[in-house]
Amino acid sequence: MTLVRRILMPVSLVALIAVSGLGACAIGNATGLSVPQRSLAEQRALLDGHIDIRRPGNAAGPVPALVMLHGCGGLRQVQEAYSDRVLEAGYAVVIVDSNGARGIGRFGAMSRVCTAQTLWGQDRAADIAAVLAELQDTPGIDGDRLALIGWSHGGWSLMEALAFSGSGDQPRGLRGHTLSLTPRVRLAIAMYPYCGFPMRTSGADIDPDIPLRAILAEQDVIAPHGACERRFERAAAAGVDLDYSVWDGQSHAFDEPNPPPDPRIRYDAEAAQRAREQVIDWLDQSFGTQPGQG
């Protein structure tokens, strides 16, 4: 056997194993066979210690809360930047660490979640059900006046949750529990959400009782805006209160102050500040300009 054959055969075998592994992950996710089945109580236990609840320092009573869902790479500085501004405006913030709850670090996130090998948006929607249950009786939080915001993968998850709420279907990973967001969730905000395959919702099944707002990025090559616009058109046709815009010249994650070393992502400080102010405007429109009242 020649040296070349000795080298190529092991390499080919490794490649075959890798491809087979990816295929198995894809099949497992597509069929649901690899998706853990949990009751609502078990889903809440999974997130125990991975939900960061913050209240504004000057709050006199229960206040509305904005639930934050990070992108596929996990928590980043963008959540902190928005949290600071939302707290300043008088609203509570609830940051959900979906990756950390599952023991997924940065490398695992980039290699598995961001490549759709695990934790599809339709499965992560179960986290939202658990958070809503958690906030029902949380002191200082008005559990009947909530909003959701998700970046990228978090936006995908948010849209799947809206669809489960609209259709009455049960998330496949949530055993014995449907996901109803109304009337407690008053607003949903999707920041450059991923809307390509394998997103489950067509848009037409999104809950029409929850206003949906979105900011898309014109130069987004990670989550191209066209796929979301097609779903938004179906949602609007089905009666969803929808408002979105495509921001010229912006890339995916344009509001992330500490972006990963990826040439497809460009931070724009001015646009980031404008996006944060837009989120505050949407919250004020939903809850009023005095969050502790009404």
Side-chain angles (χ1 to χ4, degrees):
M1 181 181 292
T2 65
L3 177 60
V4 172
R5 290 184 62 189
R6 284 198 211 98
I7 294 174
L8 289 181
M9 286 181 65
V11 170
S12 300
L13 181 59
V14 169
L16 178 60
I17 292 172
V19 171
S20 299
L22 291 174
C25 289
I27 293 171
N29 276 300
T31 61
L33 294 175
S34 64
V35 178
Q37 301 291 308
R38 301 185 183 93
S39 66
L40 181 61
E42 290 168 337
Q43 195 73 26
R44 292 180 67 177
L46 174 73
L47 292 178
D48 186 33
H50 298 279
I51 301 175
D52 183 2
I53 300 176
R54 307 174 182 179
R55 296 181 69 249
N58 59 352
V63 294
L66 178 62
V67 178
M68 296 185 171
L69 303 167
H70 59 68
C72 69
L75 294 175
R76 299 196 69 94
Q77 193 173 333
V78 64
Q79 281 79 44
E80 294 297 328
Y82 278 77
S83 175
D84 290 345
R85 183 65 186 94
V86 171
L87 290 169
E88 180 185 8
Y91 301 100
V93 170
V94 181
I95 303 176
V96 185
D97 185 1
S98 296
N99 285 2
R102 294 166 172 83
I104 301 173
R106 186 74 72 199
F107 177 78
M110 300 306 293
S111 61
R112 296 173 57 216
V113 181
C114 295
T115 58
Q117 292 185 54
T118 189
L119 195 58
W120 285 7
Q122 60 177 286
D123 303 320
R124 190 179 172 196
D127 287 4
I128 297 175
V131 171
L132 293 187
E134 186 71 23
L135 296 179
Q136 185 68 63
D137 301 310
T138 299
I141 301 296
D142 187 341
D144 291 324
R145 292 198 294 163
L146 303 174
L148 308 174
I149 184 171
W151 291 263
S152 191
H153 190 287
W156 171 16
S157 305
L158 176 155
M159 289 177 62
E160 301 284 28
L162 292 174
F164 283 126
S165 183
S167 66
D169 292 340
Q170 179 177 307
R172 61 185 182 178
L174 195 58
R175 188 175 63 249
H177 186 82
T178 56
L179 178 52
S180 177
L181 302 181
T182 55
R184 298 176 60 200
V185 174
R186 311 290 184 88
L187 171 68
I189 303 170
M191 299 295 294
Y192 40 85
Y194 178 76
C195 295
F197 176 83
M199 177 175 265
R200 177 181 181 274
T201 178
S202 68
D205 50 356
I206 285 178
D207 194 327
D209 294 324
I210 301 175
L212 175 59
R213 306 290 181 256
I215 295 175
L216 309 179
E218 183 252 335
Q219 295 184 7
D220 195 334
V221 296
I222 295 175
H225 60 84
C228 289
E229 290 185 278
R230 289 189 288 273
R231 284 173 168 79
F232 289 163
E233 289 171 3
R234 299 186 193 106
V240 173
D241 177 359
L242 175 67
D243 183 17
Y244 77 92
S245 57
V246 181
W247 286 20
D248 292 341
Q250 299 304 323
S251 73
H252 193 75
F254 65 86
D255 52 351
E256 169 53 61
N258 184 31
D262 187 333
R264 300 171 298 174
I265 296 175
R266 302 184 307 276
Y267 174 58
D268 186 320
E270 184 279 328
Q273 181 177 0
R274 184 158 43 100
R276 292 192 293 270
E277 294 307 316
Q278 178 64 84
V279 167
I280 299 302
D281 286 345
W282 283 330
L283 290 172
D284 288 346
Q285 291 168 21
S286 294
F287 299 124
T289 55
Q290 294 178 306
Q293 301 179 11

